[in-house]
Amino acid sequence: MSKKKIPERNMKGRKLFRKQDDSSLRQDKETGMWIRHRKTTYLYWYKFLQVCLKEGYKVDKSKYRGWDINTIADTKFDDWWESHKRKLFYVKERTGTPKVQLSTPKPKREYIRMSWLVYCYDSPDLEGIDIAYKIIKRECINRYLTNSNQRWFPIKKDGLPLDVEKIKTYKRDLGLRGHRDLRKKKNKTKNDILYLNNLDALLKYRNRISKAITEHRMNANKILEHVCNGRFP
């Protein structure tokens, strides 16, 4: 499957910002100071930390001196960022070392983001394919697909993934016997053929999707563990 071309705007007409590299220094135009990674990389550290604080994880608060950690659970990232970015993450000289550093110089931001979304959409009532469908549909409408997720699903001509919910509902309504009869039916309608083709596509991708979701679920749990000890990712 070829890579999906990154659109200029999403389906709601809002301008999209293209994926940016996260392995080089950047200079803040307002202050002239330097920062090692993009703001959104620190955003996901903050989001995972909020989960740890809200859900009762044992967080080593000594690793977060200067963060005002007792206020983080109820503070929006942008508000917190404006009052903490300079003393924690910015440096005056290009070669300077910030007070807070990531555990790797080249974090895989999009991969981290997918792990975060899997964590958010995860539910005991959902299969991996259901979680993936919700995430990919969200990405197709609001953003764009990346190397972290574009091979999860076949994408239709309208730019959306195959409708898992509709296909599974139709299969459930047909029942096992009805489904077998449809397979054997000689004069299939266009809708019959479309349904069977879509179902076969989902079955083909099921194992790949389940493996990807499991991998991101495990990565999210690993990040939560690291964040509790003051590390990211």
Side-chain angles (χ1 to χ4, degrees):
M1 186 185 299
S2 60
K3 290 186 178 180
K4 182 180 174 67
K5 183 180 179 181
I6 298 177
E8 295 294 331
R9 297 181 180 275
N10 64 15
M11 291 187 178
K12 296 177 181 178
R14 296 171 186 157
K15 184 177 180 180
L16 292 172
F17 294 92
R18 295 180 182 276
K19 179 184 176 183
Q20 301 290 329
D21 178 65
D22 196 40
S23 59
S24 59
L25 283 167
R26 291 164 182 79
Q27 189 173 31
D28 183 79
K29 294 180 180 179
E30 180 184 346
T31 63
M33 300 177 76
W34 295 87
I35 186 170
R36 290 185 179 274
H37 306 284
R38 298 190 69 80
K39 176 183 175 181
T40 49
T41 301
Y42 300 103
L43 165 66
Y44 289 105
W45 188 344
Y46 193 86
K47 284 178 177 289
F48 277 106
L49 179 56
Q50 280 187 317
V51 168
C52 293
L53 294 170
K54 290 179 179 180
E55 298 191 5
Y57 285 76
K58 188 176 180 180
V59 178
D60 185 350
K61 294 186 178 181
S62 68
K63 303 291 185 181
Y64 289 96
R65 290 192 178 95
W67 286 58
D68 292 321
I69 194 169
N70 292 328
T71 68
I72 284 178
D74 301 314
T75 304
K76 291 182 179 180
F77 173 73
D78 285 337
D79 295 336
W80 177 88
W81 177 256
E82 286 305 313
S83 58
H84 292 80
K85 63 183 181 181
R86 291 175 179 80
K87 64 179 179 180
L88 296 180
F89 309 109
Y90 280 29
V91 290
K92 292 182 179 180
E93 303 294 332
R94 185 186 180 95
T95 56
T97 301
K99 181 178 180 180
V100 176
Q101 301 183 65
L102 270 64
S103 60
T104 174
K106 296 182 180 181
K108 298 178 180 178
R109 185 161 48 92
E110 289 299 321
Y111 188 82
I112 293 169
R113 183 172 180 276
M114 280 302 103
S115 296
W116 168 254
L117 289 176
V118 168
Y119 178 85
C120 292
Y121 282 92
D122 203 0
S123 170
D125 302 327
L126 296 177
E127 291 184 69
I129 197 170
D130 298 311
I131 297 170
Y133 170 70
K134 290 178 180 294
I135 292 173
I136 296 300
K137 185 177 180 181
R138 175 189 186 279
E139 295 292 276
C140 286
I141 294 174
N142 294 292
R143 207 164 177 260
Y144 48 81
L145 300 185
T146 68
N147 290 335
S148 293
N149 57 39
Q150 66 179 338
R151 296 184 181 276
W152 282 6
F153 263 97
I155 305 300
K156 300 182 297 182
K157 291 182 179 179
D158 63 2
L160 292 173
L162 293 181
D163 195 329
V164 174
E165 295 169 352
K166 186 182 292 184
I167 295 169
K168 291 180 73 173
T169 298
Y170 187 48
K171 182 181 178 182
R172 185 168 58 248
D173 291 344
L174 273 177
L176 182 59
R177 184 171 180 177
H179 185 260
R180 287 174 179 171
D181 291 342
L182 181 60
R183 289 276 189 190
K184 296 176 183 178
K185 186 177 175 182
K186 291 183 179 180
N187 298 317
K188 297 182 180 68
T189 65
K190 288 184 179 181
N191 286 337
D192 292 339
I193 295 171
L194 178 63
Y195 159 70
L196 290 173
N197 287 343
N198 287 344
L199 179 62
D200 290 340
L202 289 185
L203 293 175
K204 175 184 176 182
Y205 281 79
R206 182 185 294 272
N207 289 338
R208 177 194 294 180
I209 292 169
S210 296
K211 183 178 179 181
I213 294 299
T214 298
E215 186 178 289
H216 280 295
R217 186 183 287 126
M218 292 173 64
N219 188 52
N221 289 332
K222 183 175 70 174
I223 292 175
L224 287 169
E225 181 181 344
H226 287 175
V227 167
C228 284
N229 294 301
R231 295 174 56 209
F232 185 82

